[in-house]
Amino acid sequence: MLKAERVSVMNLENAMRGARNPLNSWARSDSAYDETGAYVLGENDLSLALRLCAAGSDHRKFIRQIFVSMDITAPLYWWKEFDTYKVGTVANSTSTMHKLHARAIGLDDFSTDHMTPGSLAEFEKYVAYLETVRLRYAADKNKTDWYDLIQLLPSSYNQMRTVSLNYEVLANIYFARRNHKLDEWHTLCGAILELPYARRMLEAMAGEPIG
């Protein structure tokens, strides 16, 4: 299970102005803000953006200046893989260390969408035991119970992080993970394709239609 929410794309105008710096071609820019406040690329600017994307990473430096922020909720086993993308990313996470005991632990706190019925039934017992330990710690603040909670927590536990990235990082993620066996990566790749002009730019990089 993965959710990408509260998505914001920023700095597209400045990134496109920077894309025109090498040839001093600012006068050809034809983009503008629409009535909703979104920055809409004109025909000239979009054509330039796609040509630069197709020309390779040395030429598409402008996409490193298109910034994205989103809240991603995903299981810990997926976050371990996401941590591969350390360059160009910042993430602030909800804390399991400090806040795991602060509220009831239930089945909804975990990714169980691919569990077989038998495994799910056993896991429900496990989660019930975690909640028992949590209640014990909440009552007595015994550090032994706290350690039990931390060390028993399975990797299917869902954590929310507010993540900041840029279009270059997202392009690397898309092409590296779009065929991954974890469904969570497919969900994120689908969210990437929904970002402004992202599909067009990725198709220019790939040299063919995608997804």
Side-chain angles (χ1 to χ4, degrees):
M1 188 283 295
L2 183 146
K3 293 189 296 184
E5 303 172 292
R6 293 172 284 279
V7 180
S8 298
V9 177
M10 298 156 282
N11 207 47
L12 182 56
E13 178 184 11
N14 291 333
M16 284 308 306
R17 186 173 64 253
R20 290 196 172 279
N21 285 350
L23 295 179
N24 296 354
S25 63
W26 310 290
R28 289 186 50 79
S29 181
D30 57 351
S31 302
Y33 289 93
D34 67 12
E35 63 279 0
T36 70
Y39 193 68
V40 179
L41 296 185
E43 184 178 340
N44 291 343
D45 283 340
L46 180 57
S47 176
L48 173 63
L50 297 181
R51 291 198 307 274
L52 292 173
C53 285
S57 60
D58 288 347
H59 299 277
R60 65 173 187 252
K61 294 190 292 292
F62 79 98
I63 71 170
R64 301 173 201 169
Q65 295 181 305
I66 306 174
F67 306 126
V68 180
S69 177
M70 63 177 71
D71 286 351
I72 299 177
T73 302
L76 296 178
Y77 63 76
W78 181 84
W79 282 117
K80 287 189 290 186
E81 292 203 352
F82 179 84
D83 285 340
T84 299
Y85 301 96
K86 286 295 188 184
V87 178
T89 67
V90 178
N92 282 321
S93 65
T94 53
S95 175
T96 55
M97 192 66 64
H98 299 294
K99 301 302 289 184
L100 179 60
H101 64 277
R103 62 177 180 82
I105 300 173
L107 203 59
D108 289 344
D109 292 311
F110 303 87
S111 286
T112 59
D113 44 323
H114 291 291
M115 283 189 183
T116 60
S119 292
L120 185 59
E122 292 300 316
F123 190 66
E124 285 184 286
K125 299 175 190 175
Y126 188 86
V127 172
Y129 178 70
L130 281 175
E131 175 61 6
T132 299
V133 176
R134 186 196 72 82
L135 289 171
R136 203 160 59 221
Y137 174 74
D140 301 331
K141 295 298 185 289
N142 187 314
K143 194 171 181 179
T144 300
D145 293 324
W146 178 79
Y147 263 116
D148 271 355
L149 271 181
I150 295 300
Q151 295 188 342
L152 283 169
L153 191 68
S155 63
S156 59
Y157 183 75
N158 292 325
Q159 185 182 58
M160 191 270 282
R161 302 184 189 181
T162 299
V163 181
S164 297
L165 321 95
N166 62 58
Y167 268 39
E168 181 69 41
V169 173
L170 291 171
N172 290 337
I173 289 173
Y174 181 83
F175 288 118
R177 302 289 174 158
R178 58 179 170 169
N179 295 317
H180 198 278
K181 60 185 176 183
L182 282 178
D183 284 352
E184 286 84 357
W185 283 115
H186 294 264
T187 302
L188 182 59
C189 286
I192 291 170
L193 292 177
E194 295 298 317
L195 298 176
Y197 307 105
R199 179 185 291 272
R200 297 285 302 275
M201 292 180 182
L202 291 169
E203 288 179 338
M205 295 175 203
E208 60 183 8
I210 56 176

